[in-house]
């Protein structure tokens, strides 16, 4: 759980750690901003909604709670859709849902309508964008993943700095209905971000281009013979590190989102103006902008990355203690200081929470793991802000709300750090003799790895051995085929030579026979010529004799 995992993407594609990954990071930056800033920015409209529908603090707090619950609770659904259809189509549909929900909420006539439109529909749309964007970010970055997570997480405070004053301005100019309508149009930018999520495809190798047809046939056979990949992988629950993380994260979420939801109302309760109170969220967000990338850089250091789980625990303790101290605020400057320190601690938690999960399960199982984690956290999200709202309605004092939130976050940090130290770390099984032989570094790397990770490594090694054996067999078969072809070619050459020799002998025999026949003809030819000449002379003499007789008879008659 504490170790960093360097992964390859689907199909053995290695993460490029740059290139088009920066475009993916920019899209993830915007989507993370919308996903996390909207539940907080909507709190600017709570006072108007209380007046409009005559409801209490706990009733309006359900809007943010349902938004976060949909963002977290639909995690398994998002995992199934991503594994079935891919990230980009799911995010396109999610952008349309997010926009549609805010547009419908502008026509609401009761708080229940806002629960369904803003909470359910918009929350579902944001969920269909948020989770796939994290999956794509994890596929495009490996060595630079902590920095990428920190930069992407910075989208939340940037959006909060912009959306909180924007919501206040829209409320004054167009009312809460007009503000919801304009925010709905703004959410259509999620579709543009979805277009940046280009699937990661491995470039074809030279020998693969030559044997495309053969490999295509082999892949078809393998697909028919191999088992289909599950759309939701529950094997992650066998990992003790994953279980500890899920429990700690669920406790953390109970109090993590409470201060940003109630800090504006807290400032208004102390007698501050609406614009001045909304400025607190901008201060919190501005500090958060720099805290997240900075924490990502720190988490990527060689010495820190294997111990990132303890850095995450420290961030939660820092956040919880800030809530405990902030509960004693009595004036506006105190709240400003609270927002500064809360922004730092909140940024650290935001930058590390998914980096730790990625380090636990790796790229292959991350799409399923994040869905299951978000589902477990959804229960806590449904209880956290509404429970704090009911506590506020009962006590009429914000101090108890912030105290409860701080205790919950500190408890989560204690559970994560102690369980990781006691149940994940392993003692070396061999005596000190092996440590002296140069195995210290290897064993220290294994201290923070869970049992399931070791089993996965063994399975991977077995798979690699099988692949090597298959390659060796294929090479042997190819060599045998080459030898057979060479032998056949040698035989053919011998047969061709023998045939050529036989033909040459036959030609020589034929030529000798012809010569003999010609000699025989030359020997017979003189006699035939003499005979023919005698016959010709006799033939020529006969007409002369006949002509002489005719002439003599003619002369006697005269």
């Amino acid at each position: 759980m504490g170790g960093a995992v360097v992964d390859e993407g689907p199909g053995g594609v290695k993460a490029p750690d740059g290139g088009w990954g920066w475009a993916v990071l920019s899209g993830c930056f915007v989507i993370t901003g919308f996903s996390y800033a909207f539940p907080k920015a909507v709190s600017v409209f709570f006072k108007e909604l209380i007046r409009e529908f005559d409801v209490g603090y706990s009733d309006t707090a359900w809007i943010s709670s349902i938004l976060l619950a949909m963002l977290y609770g639909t995690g398994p659904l998002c995992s199934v859709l991503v594994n079935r259809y891919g990230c980009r189509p799911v995010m396109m549909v999610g952008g349309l849902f997010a926009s549609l929900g805010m547009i419908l909420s502008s026509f609401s006539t009761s708080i229940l309508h806002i629960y369904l439109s803003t909470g359910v529909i918009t929350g579902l749309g944001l969920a269909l964008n948020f989770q796939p964007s994290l999956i794509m970010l994890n596929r495009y970055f490996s060595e630079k993943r902590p920095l990428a997570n920190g930069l992407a997480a910075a989208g939340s405070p940037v959006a909060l700095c912009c959306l909180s004053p924007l919501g206040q301005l829209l409320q004054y100019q167009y009312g809460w209905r007009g503000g919801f309508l304009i925010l709905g149009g703004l959410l259509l930018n999620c579709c543009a971000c979805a277009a940046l999520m280009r699937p990661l495809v491995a470039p074809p190798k030279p020998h693969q281009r030559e044997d495309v047809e053969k490999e295509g046939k082999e892949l078809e056979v393998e697909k028919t013979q191999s088992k289909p990949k599950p759309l939701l992988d529950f094997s992650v629950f066998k990992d003790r590190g994953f279980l500890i993380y899920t429990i700690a994260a669920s406790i953390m979420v109970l109090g993590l989102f409470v201060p940003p939801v109630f800090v504006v109302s807290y400032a208004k309760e102390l007698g501050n103006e609406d614009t001045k109170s909304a400025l607190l969220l901008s201060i919190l967000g501005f500090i958060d902008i720099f805290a997240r990338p900075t924490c990502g850089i720190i988490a990527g250091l060689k010495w820190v990355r294997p111990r990132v789980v303890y850095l995450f625990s420290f961030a939660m303790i820092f956040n919880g203690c800030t809530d405990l101290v902030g509960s004693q605020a009595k004036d506006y400057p105190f709240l400003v200081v609270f927002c500064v320190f809360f922004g730092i601690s909140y940024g650290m938690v935001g930058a590390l929470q998914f980096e730790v999960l990625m380090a636990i399960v790796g790229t292959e199982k991350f799409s399923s793991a994040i869905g299951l984690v978000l589902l477990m956290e959804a229960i806590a999200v449904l209880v956290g802000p509404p429970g704090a709202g009911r506590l506020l309605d009962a006590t009429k004092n914000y101090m108890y709300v912030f105290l409860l939130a701080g205790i919950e976050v500190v408890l989560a940090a204690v559970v994560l750090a102690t369980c990781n130290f006691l149940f994940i770390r392993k003692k070396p099984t061999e005596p000190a003799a092996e440590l002296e032989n140069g195995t210290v570094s290897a064993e220290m790397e294994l201290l923070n790895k869970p049992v399931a990770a070791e089993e996965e490594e063994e399975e991977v090694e077995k798979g690699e051995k099988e692949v090597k054996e298959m390659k060796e067999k294929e090479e042997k078969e190819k060599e045998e085929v080459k030898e057979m072809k060479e032998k056949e070619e040698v035989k053919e050459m011998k047969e061709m030579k023998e045939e050529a020799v036989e033909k040459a002998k036959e030609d020589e025999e034929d030529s000798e026979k012809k010569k003999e026949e010609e000699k025989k003809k030359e020997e017979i030819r003189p006699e035939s010529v003499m005979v023919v000449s005698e016959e010709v002379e006799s033939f020529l003499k006969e007409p002369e004799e006949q002509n002489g007789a005719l002439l003599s008879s003619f002369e006697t008659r005269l």
Side-chain angles (χ1 to χ4, degrees), residues 513-526:
K513 288 180 181 179
K514 288 179 180 179
K515 288 178 180 180
E516 291 176 356
E517 289 177 357
E518 288 177 357
K519 288 179 180 180
K520 290 178 180 180
K521 287 179 180 179
E522 288 177 355
E523 292 175 355
I524 296 169
R525 186 172 180 181

Side-chain angles (χ1 to χ4, degrees), residues 20 23 34-35 50 64-65 70 82 115 160 222 226 278 281 337:
W20 188 257
F34 282 135
S35 301
I50 290 171
S64 298
S65 183
M70 292 300 296
V82 167
Y115 291 162
L160 187 60
E222 289 178 359
S226 61
L281 286 179
V337 175

